[in-house]
Amino acid sequence: FSSPEVAQASGLPNSTWYDAGQTVKLGPAPQYINMNPVERLALDSWNVDGATQPGDSIDVAMDGPHHVELIYRTQYYLEVTSDYGETTGVGWYFSGAKANYGVTYVRSDFPVKYSLTRWRLISSNVTRTVSPNETEIIMDRPYVVEAEWNVDYTPTWILIIAIISVVIIIAAITVVAVKRPDSFRNFA
């Protein structure tokens, strides 16, 4: 086995004797071995005397001594969070793989405008920020990627000012109409 964790999780013996001529079924080996909530081992294959065999179980003909090894590959979890929109890229990735992440925001910019300003990448107590256009990461460890947004209330203020302006104009016209009713008769 490639590690003590694999040997323990698989439940298969590290070594044992079998009768000559017997065919021994090994497995099923666990598909995943959780190391912690954001790191796991994923079953890749079996190695029997240097030859790779896929699957979670294998048959070995006991025609002599054999060296059998389970091959697992490390996977890390990518979490992508955002206060707005739908995130993409969340999931498990093999160590060294490129992971793409993003957010789709499909709402009207009225009355509040939201714009993605940057991504915050958090891993192993290290935080760095990258531009909103950078949406790829090499999974060399688990990451949490957080979208950071700018919230612009300008459209809301423009609407409020427009409503107040209309109310003031209507109020002014009403006051003038009440004080000078004769000046508005010509319009009717």
Side-chain angles (χ1 to χ4, degrees):
F1 300 108
S2 54
S3 72
E5 292 87 357
V6 172
Q8 182 179 5
S10 70
L12 301 173
N14 269 340
S15 64
T16 191
W17 289 91
Y18 293 99
D19 292 333
Q22 179 181 6
T23 298
V24 177
K25 180 176 181 71
L26 298 178
Q31 190 69 33
Y32 301 105
I33 299 171
N34 292 320
M35 307 302 285
N36 58 55
V38 292
E39 181 180 354
R40 70 183 183 185
L41 301 176
L43 179 62
D44 183 63
S45 59
W46 295 79
N47 183 310
V48 180
D49 298 327
T52 301
Q53 294 186 25
D56 63 354
S57 299
I58 60 168
D59 293 326
V60 179
M62 296 310 296
D63 52 4
H66 293 284
H67 177 78
V68 178
E69 187 176 20
L70 277 169
I71 308 298
Y72 279 82
R73 294 176 54 201
T74 302
Q75 288 186 327
Y76 298 114
Y77 192 74
L78 175 62
E79 182 178 345
V80 183
T81 64
S82 174
D83 291 339
Y84 310 102
E86 301 269 334
T87 59
T88 59
V90 173
W92 291 96
Y93 295 88
F94 285 107
S95 178
K98 289 181 183 178
N100 291 301
Y101 56 87
V103 64
T104 304
Y105 181 72
V106 209
R107 269 184 44 193
S108 169
D109 279 343
F110 191 81
V112 179
K113 182 177 182 178
Y114 300 93
S115 55
L116 182 63
T117 56
R118 67 181 155 256
W119 293 101
R120 184 188 339 230
L121 283 59
I122 305 164
S123 180
S124 304
N125 298 326
V126 175
T127 300
R128 67 182 174 107
T129 57
V130 297
S131 78
N133 298 329
E134 189 173 327
T135 58
E136 184 177 272
I137 191 168
I138 301 296
M139 294 300 293
D140 57 351
R141 65 189 80 168
Y143 283 95
V144 174
V145 177
E146 296 176 348
E148 291 187 5
W149 295 86
N150 180 47
V151 181
D152 182 2
Y153 293 97
T154 303
T156 303
W157 286 112
I158 291 172
L159 177 64
I160 290 170
I161 291 169
I163 291 171
I164 290 171
S165 298
V166 168
V167 168
I168 290 172
I169 291 170
I170 292 172
I173 292 171
T174 304
V175 167
V176 169
V178 168
K179 288 189 174 187
R180 296 187 197 167
D182 294 340
S183 59
F184 284 93
R185 284 191 190 145
N186 296 339
F187 292 112

